[in-house]
Amino acid sequence: MKNIDSYTHLRGESVYLDDIPIINGTLWAAVFDSPVAHGRIVSLDAGDAEKMPGVVRVFTAKDIPGENQIGGIVPDEELLASSQVHFCGMPMALVVAESEEQAKAALKKIRIEIEPLEVITDPRIAKEKGELIIPPRTFNIGDTTAAWSECDYVFEGRTETNGQEHLYIETQGAYAVPQENGVIKIHSSTQGPTAVQRTAARVLGIPMHQVEVDTTRLGGGFGGKEDQATTWAVMCALATHYLKKPVKYSLHRMEDMRMTGKRHPYSSDFKIGLNKDLKILAYEAAFYQNAGAAADLSPAVMERTLFHCTNSYYVPNVKATAYSCRTNLPPNTAFRGFGGPQGMFVIEAAIAKTADALNIDASVIQQKNLLRTGDELPYGQKAESEANECWNKAVKLYDIGKLRHEVKQFNEANNLYKKGMALIPICFGISFTKTLMNQARSLVHVYTDGSVGVSTGAVEMGQGVNTKILQVAAAMFSIDPVKVKINSANTYRIANTSPSAASATADLNGKATEIACNAILARFKMVAAEEFKVEPGSVELKEEWVYVDGSKTSWDWEKLVMATFTRRISLSEHAHYTPPQIHFDLSREKGHPFAYHVYGTAIITVTIDCLRGIYEFDSVKVVHDFGSSMNVMIDIGQCEGGIVQGIGWMTMEEIVYDKEGRLRSNALSTYKVPDIYSVPKEIAIHFLETKKDNLAIFRSKAVGEPPLLYGIGAFFALRNALKAFNPDADIAFDAPLTPEKVLMSLYAQTSRDVNVPGRKEVMEK
Ligand code: MTE
Ligand code: HPA
Ligand code: MOS
């Protein structure tokens, strides 16, 4: 079925934060943020700002009635800086005025004096200085030290992956509205309504039941609103708490880019060892995560880097250590893949380096080491078999031999353009890595006219989760989907929710909905059984009719609903779901953290223009493990979007902070994201339909994050194209591989700088 949001999107009727009608008397907030990355606050004078026209009040740390603390995992982040600032963009004061323009104008009148302190932007330097967010963690399997002596080949290297701006189309924002009895209702563009509720209560020093958070939908989140939507919501709530007026703040794009964290940049070291048969025997990695100035979600992101450090490969001896390094940048945060992509890039680089040295195609090594059923991952969970299934299917379906031949032929025939191809297998674990977060609730009401309302904690952010939950309810009751309405995520209807994240939203909330519907269904069957004098087991609902022993009865859906209500039996259910089997022992770093894994393989081909360094992706051909997809259109959309976002991260999106910790790529004129022209000319997606049982909702595997990982292949395809032009270029594993870097690599001088026919010709021209 179509995404239910497509109707309102198309008509412009979908309600985002800025579409909520403004209540008379609403005030507007704006944040004054630190212009320096690290320093001691000597003075902050808002006197002139408060005298500006329309200004109602300026709030600073001193005005916070509860705790000045928004840190979730580690309590290390103030809402408003009290004595020190830790990054450029750190909120210092909140101005509230009668109009947005007046609030912004007053910001310019705030006077501050900050005594500068040392600025660290490099994670390796932070680590040297002992600036770690949490103690390092190591995942271990086998014995790498012993294994090196058995290896015929050992290679070491270093990699860099840069951050990534979320660039959700709807910027961060919130609208707080006072209710009776001191309650504050917050409309927040958040992936985590409960996090907003909990933090607002903490900062205001009031119970959580005084805070109602409501989220209809987001114009994108991509992880950027899992934790960092909270700041703006709590700012508005703080002002509302004091002023008893509605307060709104919707960030300008440049404020959003400057003040919020991004995907974590990583700097990493690897060491890989293989035997003569190209089996990887040992792998060691050290990950230096650039966490920014506060923990935010960094410890959890770091954990997923370790979980995915061997990607889709079986490696018997692994030792991987990760450091979460505190720097003076905005706290980095969740971003589609949640640290997994950063871990996978490193082992792909290690394989590419090995392939270079042995003068073979990386795919030979990749293929030989794919996970097989029962293989143990470094954290103790066993693999399912789809790694091979996807790879083999992709190789056959897309005729890899022919593709390879075409690339070779093209490269022989062209000097000014070169093609490169790379394969990338993926493996991604589905569940929150923090086991306790894997729970959800659903509230299902059947109304007496037969229509159905469903509430869960799921936040619709474009990924289609509302449609999937609607499909669950419609299928369970066997009713027309138009009879089902999905309500906004609201903390008064559904409490204590996990954020919509980890790709698990449809699984967790869908399963809870399934359980709720089942409970109501059992009551319906009892009522029908009584009426038709049969056992409840003989009753069935099919296409809005009641069947008994396979024969249609005189009761339709509406009649059944009304009959149940008439007997004073509840037409509502609030159900709870938590996936079985998952556990993790932090003391041993072993367990079964994921409900299941998602697998896939992509073949990526690119053509570079060897005069200009620009490039175009010819195709991305994928075999992806969807389990048994419950909504093909939505799942294709998630794949295409994820792939393009992944390619953007790996090739063109370049976050630049200067040494003083100031964001230089601070607008869309200086930060390039993929547009329609950078989308691959062809994206082919083959659904590997696995019939096996799994813990996904209706066996339709989670699809939100995994496809982004295919983008990693774009880096290696580009690298291969470069090597076709300049085989001697020593191309650093330094992503993104921007056109600028491509151009430099095309003409890089190396120690073996000998005749390369194509290159020489170009240079002579
Ligand atoms: N798709 C769209 N259109 N917009 C988004 O913000 N977020 C991604 C992914 N796909 C996102 C998206 C991220 S980071 C996650 S974790 C999942 O969707 C969350 O939704 P799910 O759990 O329902 O897959
Ligand atoms: N993914 C996304 N968000 C999370 C996770 C995770 O694994 N763990 C905690 N928050
Ligand atoms: Mo997604 S990074 O788990 O919000």
PDB file of all heavy atoms in Angstrom, residues 73 226 297 300-301 303-304 334 338 431-434 437 499 501-503 594 705, ligand 2:
ATOM      1  N   ILE A  73      23.239   9.894  28.757  1.00  0.00           N
ATOM      2  CA  ILE A  73      24.045   8.738  29.178  1.00  0.00           C
ATOM      3  C   ILE A  73      25.023   9.154  30.275  1.00  0.00           C
ATOM      4  O   ILE A  73      25.207   8.452  31.258  1.00  0.00           O
ATOM      5  CB  ILE A  73      24.799   8.119  27.971  1.00  0.00           C
ATOM      6  CG1 ILE A  73      23.799   7.631  26.913  1.00  0.00           C
ATOM      7  CG2 ILE A  73      25.702   6.979  28.418  1.00  0.00           C
ATOM      8  CD1 ILE A  73      24.431   7.051  25.656  1.00  0.00           C
ATOM      9  N   GLU A 226      17.469  12.387  17.740  1.00  0.00           N
ATOM     10  CA  GLU A 226      17.298  11.332  18.746  1.00  0.00           C
ATOM     11  C   GLU A 226      17.564  11.933  20.133  1.00  0.00           C
ATOM     12  O   GLU A 226      16.834  11.685  21.077  1.00  0.00           O
ATOM     13  CB  GLU A 226      18.245  10.159  18.479  1.00  0.00           C
ATOM     14  CG  GLU A 226      18.076   9.045  19.511  1.00  0.00           C
ATOM     15  CD  GLU A 226      18.873   7.782  19.222  1.00  0.00           C
ATOM     16  OE1 GLU A 226      19.282   7.564  18.075  1.00  0.00           O
ATOM     17  OE2 GLU A 226      19.090   7.006  20.168  1.00  0.00           O
ATOM     18  N   LEU A 297      25.200  10.881  22.772  1.00  0.00           N
ATOM     19  CA  LEU A 297      25.037   9.438  22.558  1.00  0.00           C
ATOM     20  C   LEU A 297      26.355   8.739  22.225  1.00  0.00           C
ATOM     21  O   LEU A 297      26.365   7.558  21.842  1.00  0.00           O
ATOM     22  CB  LEU A 297      24.030   9.207  21.430  1.00  0.00           C
ATOM     23  CG  LEU A 297      22.578   9.590  21.750  1.00  0.00           C
ATOM     24  CD1 LEU A 297      21.739   9.684  20.481  1.00  0.00           C
ATOM     25  CD2 LEU A 297      21.956   8.565  22.697  1.00  0.00           C
ATOM     26  N   ALA A 300      27.210   5.071  23.175  1.00  0.00           N
ATOM     27  CA  ALA A 300      26.409   4.058  22.468  1.00  0.00           C
ATOM     28  C   ALA A 300      26.861   3.938  21.014  1.00  0.00           C
ATOM     29  O   ALA A 300      26.909   2.839  20.449  1.00  0.00           O
ATOM     30  CB  ALA A 300      24.924   4.416  22.546  1.00  0.00           C
ATOM     31  N   VAL A 301      27.195   5.081  20.416  1.00  0.00           N
ATOM     32  CA  VAL A 301      27.668   5.070  19.030  1.00  0.00           C
ATOM     33  C   VAL A 301      28.997   4.296  18.945  1.00  0.00           C
ATOM     34  O   VAL A 301      29.207   3.471  18.050  1.00  0.00           O
ATOM     35  CB  VAL A 301      27.836   6.516  18.513  1.00  0.00           C
ATOM     36  CG1 VAL A 301      28.552   6.546  17.168  1.00  0.00           C
ATOM     37  CG2 VAL A 301      26.464   7.200  18.406  1.00  0.00           C
ATOM     38  N   GLU A 303      29.981   1.979  20.852  1.00  0.00           N
ATOM     39  CA  GLU A 303      29.706   0.553  21.042  1.00  0.00           C
ATOM     40  C   GLU A 303      29.327  -0.102  19.715  1.00  0.00           C
ATOM     41  O   GLU A 303      29.781  -1.182  19.376  1.00  0.00           O
ATOM     42  CB  GLU A 303      28.555   0.468  22.050  1.00  0.00           C
ATOM     43  CG  GLU A 303      28.076  -0.868  22.449  1.00  0.00           C
ATOM     44  CD  GLU A 303      27.047  -0.720  23.582  1.00  0.00           C
ATOM     45  OE1 GLU A 303      25.964  -0.139  23.365  1.00  0.00           O
ATOM     46  OE2 GLU A 303      27.343  -1.176  24.687  1.00  0.00           O
ATOM     47  N   ARG A 304      28.512   0.597  18.933  1.00  0.00           N
ATOM     48  CA  ARG A 304      28.092  -0.002  17.660  1.00  0.00           C
ATOM     49  C   ARG A 304      29.256  -0.071  16.675  1.00  0.00           C
ATOM     50  O   ARG A 304      29.300  -0.954  15.809  1.00  0.00           O
ATOM     51  CB  ARG A 304      26.877   0.723  17.062  1.00  0.00           C
ATOM     52  CG  ARG A 304      26.105  -0.147  16.100  1.00  0.00           C
ATOM     53  CD  ARG A 304      24.860   0.544  15.560  1.00  0.00           C
ATOM     54  NE  ARG A 304      23.632   0.203  16.258  1.00  0.00           N
ATOM     55  CZ  ARG A 304      22.929  -0.911  16.053  1.00  0.00           C
ATOM     56  NH1 ARG A 304      23.319  -1.802  15.160  1.00  0.00           N
ATOM     57  NH2 ARG A 304      21.816  -1.122  16.721  1.00  0.00           N
ATOM     58  N   ALA A 334      23.906  10.686  17.135  1.00  0.00           N
ATOM     59  CA  ALA A 334      23.423   9.612  16.268  1.00  0.00           C
ATOM     60  C   ALA A 334      23.316  10.088  14.829  1.00  0.00           C
ATOM     61  O   ALA A 334      22.916  11.225  14.566  1.00  0.00           O
ATOM     62  CB  ALA A 334      22.043   9.148  16.750  1.00  0.00           C
ATOM     63  N   PHE A 338      24.770   4.825  13.096  1.00  0.00           N
ATOM     64  CA  PHE A 338      25.085   4.928  14.517  1.00  0.00           C
ATOM     65  C   PHE A 338      26.460   4.348  14.864  1.00  0.00           C
ATOM     66  O   PHE A 338      26.588   3.519  15.748  1.00  0.00           O
ATOM     67  CB  PHE A 338      23.974   4.187  15.291  1.00  0.00           C
ATOM     68  CG  PHE A 338      23.749   4.662  16.697  1.00  0.00           C
ATOM     69  CD1 PHE A 338      23.132   5.874  16.965  1.00  0.00           C
ATOM     70  CD2 PHE A 338      24.145   3.882  17.783  1.00  0.00           C
ATOM     71  CE1 PHE A 338      22.896   6.285  18.269  1.00  0.00           C
ATOM     72  CE2 PHE A 338      23.922   4.294  19.097  1.00  0.00           C
ATOM     73  CZ  PHE A 338      23.293   5.501  19.336  1.00  0.00           C
ATOM     74  N   SER A 431      18.410  -3.984  16.780  1.00  0.00           N
ATOM     75  CA  SER A 431      18.018  -3.801  18.189  1.00  0.00           C
ATOM     76  C   SER A 431      18.819  -2.613  18.693  1.00  0.00           C
ATOM     77  O   SER A 431      19.883  -2.317  18.151  1.00  0.00           O
ATOM     78  CB  SER A 431      18.370  -5.004  19.089  1.00  0.00           C
ATOM     79  OG  SER A 431      17.483  -6.071  18.864  1.00  0.00           O
ATOM     80  N   PHE A 432      18.295  -1.953  19.708  1.00  0.00           N
ATOM     81  CA  PHE A 432      19.114  -0.980  20.409  1.00  0.00           C
ATOM     82  C   PHE A 432      20.234  -1.774  21.070  1.00  0.00           C
ATOM     83  O   PHE A 432      19.973  -2.835  21.671  1.00  0.00           O
ATOM     84  CB  PHE A 432      18.302  -0.269  21.495  1.00  0.00           C
ATOM     85  CG  PHE A 432      17.343   0.741  20.957  1.00  0.00           C
ATOM     86  CD1 PHE A 432      16.014   0.421  20.730  1.00  0.00           C
ATOM     87  CD2 PHE A 432      17.756   2.045  20.678  1.00  0.00           C
ATOM     88  CE1 PHE A 432      15.121   1.358  20.227  1.00  0.00           C
ATOM     89  CE2 PHE A 432      16.867   2.985  20.186  1.00  0.00           C
ATOM     90  CZ  PHE A 432      15.552   2.640  19.956  1.00  0.00           C
ATOM     91  N   THR A 433      21.460  -1.270  20.978  1.00  0.00           N
ATOM     92  CA  THR A 433      22.560  -2.011  21.610  1.00  0.00           C
ATOM     93  C   THR A 433      22.401  -1.998  23.128  1.00  0.00           C
ATOM     94  O   THR A 433      22.922  -2.863  23.810  1.00  0.00           O
ATOM     95  CB  THR A 433      23.920  -1.420  21.212  1.00  0.00           C
ATOM     96  OG1 THR A 433      23.907  -0.026  21.488  1.00  0.00           O
ATOM     97  CG2 THR A 433      24.181  -1.635  19.734  1.00  0.00           C
ATOM     98  N   LYS A 434      21.691  -1.000  23.650  1.00  0.00           N
ATOM     99  CA  LYS A 434      21.368  -1.003  25.073  1.00  0.00           C
ATOM    100  C   LYS A 434      20.090  -1.815  25.243  1.00  0.00           C
ATOM    101  O   LYS A 434      18.998  -1.386  24.858  1.00  0.00           O
ATOM    102  CB  LYS A 434      21.192   0.431  25.578  1.00  0.00           C
ATOM    103  CG  LYS A 434      21.099   0.499  27.093  1.00  0.00           C
ATOM    104  CD  LYS A 434      21.434   1.897  27.599  1.00  0.00           C
ATOM    105  CE  LYS A 434      21.432   1.954  29.103  1.00  0.00           C
ATOM    106  NZ  LYS A 434      22.491   1.148  29.723  1.00  0.00           N
ATOM    107  N   MET A 437      16.489  -0.693  26.221  1.00  0.00           N
ATOM    108  CA  MET A 437      15.721   0.200  25.342  1.00  0.00           C
ATOM    109  C   MET A 437      14.811  -0.561  24.378  1.00  0.00           C
ATOM    110  O   MET A 437      13.970   0.039  23.704  1.00  0.00           O
ATOM    111  CB  MET A 437      16.661   1.112  24.557  1.00  0.00           C
ATOM    112  CG  MET A 437      17.392   2.118  25.428  1.00  0.00           C
ATOM    113  SD  MET A 437      18.619   3.057  24.502  1.00  0.00           S
ATOM    114  CE  MET A 437      17.570   4.258  23.676  1.00  0.00           C
ATOM    115  N   PRO A 499      13.449   6.191  21.908  1.00  0.00           N
ATOM    116  CA  PRO A 499      13.344   7.038  20.716  1.00  0.00           C
ATOM    117  C   PRO A 499      13.054   6.184  19.483  1.00  0.00           C
ATOM    118  O   PRO A 499      13.284   4.978  19.494  1.00  0.00           O
ATOM    119  CB  PRO A 499      14.739   7.664  20.601  1.00  0.00           C
ATOM    120  CG  PRO A 499      15.649   6.768  21.371  1.00  0.00           C
ATOM    121  CD  PRO A 499      14.815   6.186  22.465  1.00  0.00           C
ATOM    122  N   ALA A 501      14.419   5.001  16.643  1.00  0.00           N
ATOM    123  CA  ALA A 501      15.814   4.904  16.228  1.00  0.00           C
ATOM    124  C   ALA A 501      16.203   3.434  16.127  1.00  0.00           C
ATOM    125  O   ALA A 501      15.368   2.550  16.350  1.00  0.00           O
ATOM    126  CB  ALA A 501      16.710   5.606  17.246  1.00  0.00           C
ATOM    127  N   ALA A 502      17.483   3.227  15.792  1.00  0.00           N
ATOM    128  CA  ALA A 502      18.055   1.883  15.696  1.00  0.00           C
ATOM    129  C   ALA A 502      17.322   1.021  14.654  1.00  0.00           C
ATOM    130  O   ALA A 502      17.414  -0.211  14.710  1.00  0.00           O
ATOM    131  CB  ALA A 502      18.057   1.198  17.067  1.00  0.00           C
ATOM    132  N   SER A 503      16.601   1.658  13.756  1.00  0.00           N
ATOM    133  CA  SER A 503      15.826   0.987  12.698  1.00  0.00           C
ATOM    134  C   SER A 503      14.760   0.055  13.261  1.00  0.00           C
ATOM    135  O   SER A 503      14.132  -0.695  12.529  1.00  0.00           O
ATOM    136  CB  SER A 503      16.729   0.175  11.749  1.00  0.00           C
ATOM    137  OG  SER A 503      17.737   0.982  11.219  1.00  0.00           O
ATOM    138  N   PHE A 594      21.483  -8.530  19.421  1.00  0.00           N
ATOM    139  CA  PHE A 594      20.584  -8.182  18.315  1.00  0.00           C
ATOM    140  C   PHE A 594      19.487  -9.227  18.105  1.00  0.00           C
ATOM    141  O   PHE A 594      19.732 -10.431  18.171  1.00  0.00           O
ATOM    142  CB  PHE A 594      21.387  -8.025  17.015  1.00  0.00           C
ATOM    143  CG  PHE A 594      22.428  -6.937  17.107  1.00  0.00           C
ATOM    144  CD1 PHE A 594      23.780  -7.225  16.965  1.00  0.00           C
ATOM    145  CD2 PHE A 594      22.066  -5.622  17.367  1.00  0.00           C
ATOM    146  CE1 PHE A 594      24.740  -6.228  17.061  1.00  0.00           C
ATOM    147  CE2 PHE A 594      23.018  -4.621  17.474  1.00  0.00           C
ATOM    148  CZ  PHE A 594      24.363  -4.921  17.316  1.00  0.00           C
ATOM    149  N   GLU A 705      18.347   1.923   8.518  1.00  0.00           N
ATOM    150  CA  GLU A 705      19.754   2.290   8.450  1.00  0.00           C
ATOM    151  C   GLU A 705      20.619   1.464   7.497  1.00  0.00           C
ATOM    152  O   GLU A 705      21.500   2.018   6.837  1.00  0.00           O
ATOM    153  CB  GLU A 705      20.375   2.215   9.859  1.00  0.00           C
ATOM    154  CG  GLU A 705      19.842   3.258  10.815  1.00  0.00           C
ATOM    155  CD  GLU A 705      20.217   2.919  12.253  1.00  0.00           C
ATOM    156  OE1 GLU A 705      19.612   1.998  12.819  1.00  0.00           O
ATOM    157  OE2 GLU A 705      21.121   3.569  12.779  1.00  0.00           O
TER     158      GLU A 705
HETATM  159  N1  HPA B   2      20.884   2.757  17.788  1.00  0.00           N
HETATM  160  C1  HPA B   2      20.311   3.959  17.833  1.00  0.00           C
HETATM  161  N2  HPA B   2      20.122   4.628  18.920  1.00  0.00           N
HETATM  162  C2  HPA B   2      20.536   4.090  20.059  1.00  0.00           C
HETATM  163  C3  HPA B   2      21.152   2.842  20.091  1.00  0.00           C
HETATM  164  C4  HPA B   2      21.335   2.140  18.894  1.00  0.00           C
HETATM  165  O1  HPA B   2      21.875   1.038  18.848  1.00  0.00           O
HETATM  166  N3  HPA B   2      21.468   2.579  21.359  1.00  0.00           N
HETATM  167  C5  HPA B   2      21.068   3.637  22.074  1.00  0.00           C
HETATM  168  N4  HPA B   2      20.502   4.572  21.294  1.00  0.00           N
END
